[in-house]
Amino acid sequence: MANPLFDTLFARHAGSAAPFLHLGGGRSLSYDAFLRRTAQLAHALRDAGLAPGDRLAAQVPKSAEALAVYAACVQAGIVFLPLNTAYTPDEVAYFVTDSGAGLLLCDPAQEDRLRPVAEGAGAALMTLDAEGGGSLSAAARGQPETFGTVPRDAGDLAALLYTSGTTGRSKGAMLTQDNLLSNARVLAEYWRFTDRDVLLHALPIFHTHGLFVATNTVLMTGGAMIWQPRFDIDAVIAALPEATAMMGVPTFYTRLLDDPRLTRELVAHMRLFTSGSAPLLAETHEAFAARTGHRILERYGMTETNMTTSNPYEGDRRAGTVGFPLPGVELRITDPETGAEVPQGEVGMLEVRGPNVFRGYWDMPEKTAEELRENGYFITGDLGMIDARGYVTIVGRIKDVVISGGYNIYPKEVEMWLDEQPGVLESAVVGVPHPDLGEVPVAILVPQAGGVPDMQAISAAAERALARFKRPRRLILVDALPRNTMGKVQKNALRAEYAGLFAAR
Ligand code: MCA
Ligand code: AMP
């Protein structure tokens, strides 16, 4: 095929009047209309100077048009680089510069703040707002409604997704056409998606979960999506009766459980709820089953690997486990020190291999070599075990990361920033339990000798430097950090000490 990803996910729906996106208020967009818009956008991007292989960085609100930009990039052979809308201009500057993006697409409301970023990185700047307006849409208007799809190989890059690193520097995970396509194929089949499905889509589309797991799976089978800009409990409850499936992070399910409108009747016709991106507490799984009769299907993956394990569609969905390796995915458990496989049933490092595993980190061959073995196994940084029945359970992480509402926060990045603030000698950022978001970051600060850091000034500066979800929910001053005999900060002790800060409601 000339462009496997575009041909399989998009082109096959050309001319189809079937609904693709339900946009609310009775408005829907058919597959055909979506693809015609995609072609117009592809023309506009080419006119803007983007050639196959170039990167397009997009920090835009979720909309049908924003999804069509992803499709247009695939059609034009442009590498799509989606960015969290919470990132500050400083953070965006790093991604645009590091990736050498040719174009930064942003919300017109951010244009003034991001223009210097684009100029500094030598990228063009275009805009797209939540209603599909902006300079890119204007450039697409009137363009031909067909576009000569740019040929691509299965191994060519389709997307570059940045994941923060434990060293504090974000790394761009290079995802190929086949990484995305192989996973979409497997998930659509494993989870029994068909063209009769209507997926309630309330996830952001700048991460693997909302962009690839949800969207590509639906595109694979020709179903429709109820396209909601964000998780709003009222809108979700109103839409559930129209849906057949929903994919969410655990916070979606705890928020639904907190709402008395979640009843067995409301979701009686649904066929599937999935959860991932963060651990789903067994008690949430059980409470949801008791209230609705549905067992949430938990699965596990990473930006670098797409989805790797899933509980079964038919059969026992076991609370607290992430199920079995998906077809075509090899998973092994190794000793974190030696890399040798551990006996079945023992805890160790999860490593995965398969067509789903990324090609490496953008421009970081050393980092790639550290995490992606020559034999193709990717070292996840997650600790787990496989039980006698083959179910995988994640028991912890070796990598120092806090997962808050499904967003990853790398303490190192926040600590490096905190350590530079006036009056701060050193800092430690840990995740503490939070009833809504699973965990949230908290910072423990040690003042410089004789000084007292201005906590308000630090909080104010954090607003400019760090995306909201990364900002510590509390700044706590202590005389010294607990250390072991090797001098290493004992984060477990800090986590234990502050575990009750946001005690459950
Ligand atoms: C919003 N805030 C957050 C988060 N989201 N803070 C920490 N962690 C978060 N995740 C901030 C808001 O800016 C706001 O700040 C305050 O917290 C409360 O906001 P609220 O209105 O309650 O939040 P929300 O807008 O309802 O969002 C919560 C959410 C959302 C629905 C859980 O974060 C979400 O959709 N998360 C999904 C993330 C996701 O898709 N992850 C997949 C990546 P203020 O109070 O100052 O206004 S991982 C992945 O892709 C891998 C491969 C995988 O396995 O899936
Ligand atoms: P990201 O780097 O954003 O792709 O996040 C991937 C990480 O999210 C994984 O390495 C896990 O630590 C975590 N994760 C994803 N799904 C699950 C799950 N079902 N249970 C526990 N952790 C998960």
Side-chain angles (χ1 to χ4, degrees), residues 456-502:
Q456 269 181 342
I458 294 178
S459 295
E463 284 182 29
R464 289 187 298 278
L466 300 170
R468 171 73 183 91
F469 68 91
K470 293 183 198 168
R471 281 178 230 151
R473 295 276 164 141
R474 294 281 164 83
L475 299 175
I476 299 163
L477 266 188
V478 297
D479 292 336
L481 296 174
R483 289 181 190 278
N484 65 15
T485 47
M486 307 289 289
K488 194 170 178 311
V489 176
Q490 290 175 303
K491 291 206 164 176
N492 278 341
L494 292 172
R495 276 189 280 268
E497 183 165 355
Y498 298 107
L501 271 184
F502 302 93

Side-chain angles (χ1 to χ4, degrees), residues 162-164 207-209 250 275-280 298-307 309 320-322 378 380-383 394 396-397 399 401 403 406-408 410:
Y162 276 81
T163 88
S164 293
H207 281 308
T208 293
H209 197 165
S275 177
S277 308
L280 181 75
E298 187 170 8
R299 59 42 170 199
Y300 158 69
M302 281 183 78
T303 302
E304 289 91 332
T305 65
N306 296 287
M307 297 304 99
T309 74
T321 82
V322 292
F378 176 70
T380 62
D382 291 313
L383 290 173
I394 297 174
R397 307 174 202 125
K399 56 191 172 194
V401 59
I403 304 186
Y407 289 151
N408 290 11
Y410 282 82

Side-chain angles (χ1 to χ4, degrees), residues 119-143:
E119 280 169 4
L125 186 83
M126 293 183 99
T127 60
L128 181 64
D129 68 22
E131 277 70 47
S135 63
L136 176 62
S137 316
R141 212 167 296 134
Q143 294 275 8

